[in-house]
Amino acid sequence: MNEAKDLLIILIGSSLVSNVVLSQFLGLCPFLGVSRKVKTAAGMGTAVIFVITLASAVAGVIYKFVLTPLSIQYLQTIVFILVIAALVQFVEMFLKKAMPSLYEALGVYLPLITTNCAVLGVALTNVQKEYGILTGIVNGFATALGFTIAIIILAGLREKMEYNDVPEYFKGMPTVLLTAGLMAIAFCGFSGLL
Amino acid sequence: MNKKSTMNSAWERLVNGLVKENPTFVLMLGMCPTLAVTTSAMNGLGMGLTTTVVLMLSNLIISLLRNIIPSRVRIPAFIVIIASFVTAVQLLLEAYIPSLNAALGMYIPLIVVNCIILGRAESFAYSNPPIPSLFDGIGMGLGFSFALTCIGAVREVLGAGTIFDYSIMPASYVTINIFVLAPGAFFVLAMLTAFQNFLKATRAKVSEEAAAMVGSGCSEDCMNCSEKGCAKRFYDTQASDKLPDVNAEDFQEKPKTVEVEDMDEKEEV
């Protein structure tokens, strides 16, 4: 019971309170790059949830059963980044073969995720906070969920702002960054939640 | 003669990294750490110098190994080399500057995925001799440090009224806390990008050719690029039905002119 409560706290904490993009600045790349349309943003979000959850599971297992027994924890960065790169490739091949419909849906977003620092970030956070494997997976899922929430909201706002009359030099990136800043202020409001 | 040309090239690489192709202000690379650690000038400088060391060493080693690494597996090879240096630097920081290590926290291991480093390895070190590569790394790293320190200083002055922990504002100054918090990073960067758009628009005609050089850190491979601030990528996403303004065209056209021959070498990673 107590454990379930802890997991719930992690779920809310990682997805809303310390949102991965808006307060930790991880995964800004797809956040700014793939947020023009709500539909593509949702696709990216799904792919991120999928990969991060899987990657935090795999990284957790490797850390616990390979790195710790051999006491080579200091190699974590190298090992994690290689594992993540390999995992994404593998997932892509597997999905193509086994679940073509899901592969179609995630399609172009999968390879993009290899370079998403949120994936490595989650794996490292799990180790840093000494989460167990299950807790790590929940944390990974929550972080990715937070990313999805943020990117869908941003995409929605950008669709609305498409035809707005903004000052010339603020067109494009600066407006998006300002929007993200305002969203970050809004998300600060969650900090009283826990 | 030979020595002189090396010297020239080394100097040129330094200036190039600091001014002409400044990774943050001009190339807009490595936005993650730029936003995350610039809560104070000191943190910005620390992050910048740490990245400089990694960039310098990885450039040097990759350049030395450039004839040995087969081009098909070069990206994994680069990542392993970079990750090794990052780990080494992290351990050194932990041992000798624990305060900086604590302040930067997770963002030190995340240097691995900083696209400046992989970008320079790919676009410069892999095709150039060691000495220019080393200086390219130093120049780019110092340019990055300079940019981070500036952003950090702005945020620190506005948000806490200090700079490098020295109080410079009068006692009556009311600090604007939001600039030290997460939203402030977005606002400062937004202003910076807007200012850069302004500069680009005014200089566009004067230096067409110089501006064309700007894209050289870009591999044209937007799918695999971890560059979040890249304006080109931003305009290149699926929904490219509307490209409303002049700036969009600027961003799109520039790199194409210089990168054409580069593109043949890139293949799927």
Side-chain angles (χ1 to χ4, degrees):
Chain A
M1 189 61 219
N2 213 4
E3 228 167 70
K5 197 177 143 201
D6 284 348
L7 289 184
L8 188 67
I9 287 180
I10 288 180
L11 191 67
I12 294 174
S14 298
S15 59
L16 296 177
V17 180
S18 55
N19 187 285
V20 64
V21 207
L22 296 172
S23 80
Q24 297 185 56
F25 303 109
L26 297 178
L28 275 174
C29 146
F31 181 67
L32 299 175
V34 202
S35 57
R36 278 183 81 103
K37 290 262 156 70
V38 172
K39 209 178 147 205
T40 48
M44 185 71 200
T46 321
V48 166
I49 292 184
F50 191 71
V51 170
I52 291 193
T53 313
L54 209 59
S56 46
V58 173
V61 168
I62 286 183
Y63 188 80
K64 190 165 179 198
F65 295 109
V66 180
L67 297 188
T68 313
L70 297 173
S71 58
I72 47 169
Q73 288 98 329
Y74 59 88
L75 286 181
Q76 48 166 312
T77 314
I78 305 178
V79 172
F80 285 174
I81 186 90
L82 290 178
V83 164
I84 290 165
L87 182 76
V88 173
Q89 290 279 316
F90 183 74
V91 164
E92 202 182 343
M93 288 191 292
F94 175 77
L95 285 184
K96 206 172 178 177
K97 190 96 181 157
M99 296 179 240
S101 55
L102 186 59
Y103 178 77
E104 286 291 309
L106 301 183
V108 293
Y109 304 113
L110 274 175
L112 262 175
I113 296 173
T114 322
T115 48
N116 185 339
C117 48
V119 186
L120 183 61
V122 171
L124 291 169
T125 317
N126 286 344
V127 168
Q128 217 170 43
K129 295 196 176 164
E130 293 172 359
Y131 287 157
I133 292 176
L134 178 65
T135 328
I137 294 173
V138 171
N139 184 39
F141 174 75
T143 309
L145 189 68
F147 175 86
T148 311
I149 294 172
I151 196 174
I152 290 180
I153 294 179
L154 182 68
L157 289 172
R158 281 180 70 177
E159 275 187 8
K160 293 277 178 219
M161 293 191 311
E162 191 83 44
Y163 300 105
N164 282 10
D165 185 22
V166 284
E168 195 189 335
Y169 303 124
F170 276 85
K171 275 179 186 156
M173 204 49 134
T175 319
V176 178
L177 286 167
L178 285 176
T179 316
L182 292 173
M183 280 172 65
I185 294 183
F187 270 72
C188 279
F190 285 117
S191 58
L193 207 60
L194 289 183
Chain B
M1 170 63 201
N2 200 6
K3 196 181 175 192
K4 197 178 171 214
S5 73
T6 316
M7 282 300 291
N8 274 342
S9 157
W11 178 246
E12 190 194 314
R13 295 322 303 168
L14 274 180
V15 175
N16 183 51
L18 263 170
V19 185
K20 258 173 41 194
E21 287 190 28
N22 187 298
T24 305
F25 291 138
V26 183
L27 298 182
M28 301 282 290
L29 286 173
M31 282 298 135
C32 253
T34 308
L35 290 177
V37 302
T38 50
T39 47
S40 72
M42 200 60 217
N43 283 354
L45 184 64
M47 184 70 197
L49 292 182
T50 315
T51 311
T52 307
V53 173
V54 175
L55 188 55
M56 198 172 87
L57 293 173
S58 70
N59 258 9
L60 179 66
I61 297 297
I62 286 166
S63 172
L64 285 172
L65 295 177
R66 71 187 188 281
N67 296 325
I68 303 171
I69 303 175
S71 75
R72 281 208 163 274
V73 295
R74 66 187 191 287
I75 301 286
F78 294 164
I79 291 180
V80 172
I81 293 171
I82 295 166
S84 315
F85 281 120
V86 169
T87 307
V89 167
Q90 188 189 2
L91 292 175
L92 284 173
L93 279 183
E94 230 171 295
Y96 293 105
I97 325 178
S99 60
L100 185 65
N101 187 53
L104 298 181
M106 204 175 58
Y107 296 98
I108 293 180
L110 285 178
I111 293 177
V112 179
V113 280
N114 188 328
C115 39
I116 295 175
I117 300 180
L118 199 59
R120 289 328 284 178
E122 171 79 13
S123 69
F124 196 87
Y126 194 58
S127 49
N128 283 286
I131 298 294
S133 299
L134 177 70
F135 280 92
D136 182 71
I138 299 177
M140 278 286 157
L142 290 181
F144 185 60
S145 312
F146 172 71
L148 253 62
T149 314
C150 289
I151 300 174
V154 170
R155 288 180 66 187
E156 198 183 341
V157 167
L158 291 175
T162 59
I163 188 163
F164 285 108
D165 287 333
Y166 291 111
S167 189
I168 54 161
M169 291 303 216
S172 60
Y173 176 71
V174 181
T175 56
I176 314 168
N177 274 332
I178 198 124
F179 278 98
V180 193
L181 299 175
F186 285 112
F187 292 143
V188 172
L189 190 68
M191 292 305 160
L192 202 81
T193 339
F195 183 62
Q196 199 190 323
N197 282 348
F198 166 74
L199 285 185
K200 264 189 187 143
T202 47
R203 277 192 323 201
K205 283 171 206 154
V206 186
S207 53
E208 278 281 3
E209 281 155 51
M213 297 291 292
V214 161
S216 72
C218 167
S219 61
E220 283 279 317
D221 187 2
C222 290
M223 286 297 287
N224 290 314
C225 177
S226 57
E227 155 56 283
K228 38 247 133 200
C230 175
K232 193 150 107 349
R233 170 195 181 105
F234 170 68
Y235 286 109
D236 261 3
T237 46
Q238 287 80 358
S240 57
D241 45 339
K242 278 181 288 294
L243 295 169
D245 56 80
V246 196
N247 291 329
E249 283 161 24
D250 279 356
F251 288 134
Q252 287 210 319
E253 277 166 19
K254 250 177 286 152
K256 275 179 194 155
T257 54
V258 280
E259 297 269 320
V260 177
E261 74 268 36
D262 246 5
M263 278 181 69
D264 305 335
E265 294 162 23
K266 317 283 186 256
E267 71 259 299
E268 69 292 336
V269 177

